[in-house]
């Protein structure tokens, strides 16, 4: 039995009892290409035209059991439609897990977007494009990596059932790192923790200092969210902690445009906890021409025990978005703002 939908497939046994056949498989996916005009802002190259794969993926989901009581498995992968595939598009690079579903919630183990990330994913109408909110939201360094909008590896998490509109989720991702300062790859991984393959700080190709994973590699991750969805109103609160985040790579001598040097002394940044919290709300108005969806987020990001003069990772941020639906068309706009950091 094969389906293209996302819900489990239930059948009837000869005696009338519902069950999930162990041959039931759900195939699903999403294809999203675009033509983009952008300015990279690097080396004064000017505007560029590109055709990115955006968030194109393919997945397989297989439940086995009874309604409300089922073992579940999922394997999801990025699909590089427009680009030459690399290890980023290997099988199981996206949310992949095994788990157990019960009337009291679902427990899963594997890799998945953190509860912190999922809590406000629908708030961003430009998600998975060049204009998504991760240029600011969840992003402490202003680069291509949003540390607090992450898919956590080797994790275990719990998702509660919906209760009067409320739903909770908690996740723990063990660091699995043999180095006290988390400068090694996590056991079982070939990438620096907290980084994507070939991305900023990944270590392949070498993007970190020679000491190893010193550009945001962390130990244990703890993430939690509480969401409320009832009628046209939605609200969310979420929190995430990264233990002993290694930022030794930030301690360097940097040439300035005026010919001087910026010296970040050893120990001024170092290894310390980083955490983030956010609160969001949304409301959907039905109007004369369709529906207007409004969302807003306030986010706090902090790095502990860092010299304030060199603390670029602590700041607040804001995000608002609006989507007007007219017939089958959506017209969206959004704005994000980052407050100044102490450093």
């Amino acid at each position: 039995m094969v389906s293209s939908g996302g819900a489990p497939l239930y059948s009837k046994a000869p005696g009338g009892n519902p069950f999930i056949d162990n041959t039931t498989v759900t195939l699903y996916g999403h294809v999203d290409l675009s033509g983009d005009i952008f300015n990279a802002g690097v080396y004064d190259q000017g505007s560029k035209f590109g055709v990115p794969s955006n968030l194109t993926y393919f997945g397989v989901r297989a439940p086995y059991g009874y309604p409300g009581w089922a073992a579940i498995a999922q394997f999801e992968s990025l699909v590089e439609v427009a680009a030459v595939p690399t290890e980023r598009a290997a099988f199981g690079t996206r949310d992949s897990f095994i788990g157990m579903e019960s009337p009291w919630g679902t427990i899963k183990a594997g890799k998945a977007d953190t509860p912190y990330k999922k809590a406000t994913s629908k708030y961003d109408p430009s998600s998975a494009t060049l204009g998504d909110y991760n240029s600011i939201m969840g992003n402490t360094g202003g680069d291509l990596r949003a540390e607090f909008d992450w898919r956590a590896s080797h994790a275990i998490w719990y998702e509660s059932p919906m209760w009067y509109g409320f739903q909770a989720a908690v996740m723990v991702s063990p660091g699995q790192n043999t180095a006290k300062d988390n400068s090694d790859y996590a056991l079982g991984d070939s990438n620096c923790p907290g980084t994507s393959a070939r991305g900023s700080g990944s270590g392949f190709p070498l993007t970190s200092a020679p000491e190893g994973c010193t550009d945001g590699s962390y130990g244990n991750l703890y993430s939690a969210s509480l969401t409320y969805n009832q009628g046209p109103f939605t609200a969310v609160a979420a929190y995430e902690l990264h233990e002993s985040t290694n930022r030794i790579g930030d301690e360097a001598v940097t040439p300035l445009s005026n010919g001087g040097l910026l010296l970040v002394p050893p120990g001024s940044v170092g290894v310390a906890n980083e955490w983030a919290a956010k609160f969001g709300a949304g409301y959907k108005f039905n109007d004369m021409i369709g529906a207007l969806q409004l969302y807003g987020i306030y986010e706090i990001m902090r790095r502990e025990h860092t010299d304030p003069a060199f603390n670029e990772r602590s700041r607040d941020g804001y995000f608002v978005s609006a989507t007007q639906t007219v017939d089958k068309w959506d017209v969206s706009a959004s704005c994000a703002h980052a407050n100044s950091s102490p450093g």
Side-chain angles (χ1 to χ4, degrees), residues 320-342:
V320 292
S321 69
T323 299
Q324 177 69 56
T325 301
V326 182
D327 193 16
K328 297 181 180 180
W329 293 86
D330 289 340
V331 180
S332 301
S334 60
C335 178
H337 173 76
N339 286 358
S340 298
S341 64

Side-chain angles (χ1 to χ4, degrees), residues 16-211:
N17 294 322
F19 71 99
I20 304 177
D21 192 324
N22 63 358
T23 60
T24 297
V25 174
T26 301
L27 305 178
Y28 64 96
H30 178 73
V31 180
D32 180 9
L33 273 73
S34 62
D36 297 344
I37 299 175
F38 62 96
N39 190 314
V42 180
Y43 306 122
D44 195 25
Q45 295 181 14
S47 297
K48 302 287 185 180
F49 177 72
V51 181
S53 299
N54 295 324
L55 184 55
T56 299
Y57 58 85
F58 175 78
V60 180
R61 186 180 298 123
Y64 180 83
Y66 296 90
W69 288 98
I72 52 177
Q74 175 178 300
F75 307 98
E76 187 175 297
S77 299
L78 177 73
V79 179
E80 294 282 17
V81 177
V84 176
T86 67
E87 63 270 24
R88 295 189 310 163
F91 190 60
T93 49
R94 290 180 50 79
D95 288 12
S96 302
F97 53 80
I98 60 171
M100 185 67 195
E101 181 183 89
S102 78
W104 298 282
T106 304
I107 295 179
K108 301 175 182 177
K111 76 167 71 67
D113 289 342
T114 66
Y116 189 91
K117 176 180 180 178
K118 289 181 179 179
T120 56
S121 59
K122 68 178 183 180
Y123 284 35
D124 182 12
S126 300
S127 176
T129 71
L130 280 177
D132 73 16
Y133 68 7
N134 288 141
S135 58
I136 289 180
M137 307 307 292
N139 190 329
T140 68
D143 57 15
L144 299 178
R145 172 171 36 127
E147 296 91 335
F148 290 99
D149 197 86
W150 202 245
R151 175 174 295 109
S153 302
H154 37 79
I156 183 169
W157 63 100
Y158 166 78
E159 300 166 351
S160 78
M162 191 73 71
W163 187 68
Y164 294 104
F166 288 95
Q167 186 173 32
V170 293
M171 172 185 279
V172 177
S173 173
Q176 298 183 186
N177 208 299
T178 57
K180 291 183 178 180
D181 63 357
N182 296 314
S183 60
D184 287 344
Y185 291 159
L187 291 174
D189 276 345
S190 58
N191 209 58
C192 294
T195 62
S196 59
R198 297 178 184 255
S200 173
S202 67
F204 182 80
L206 184 62
T207 56
S208 303
E211 296 80 17

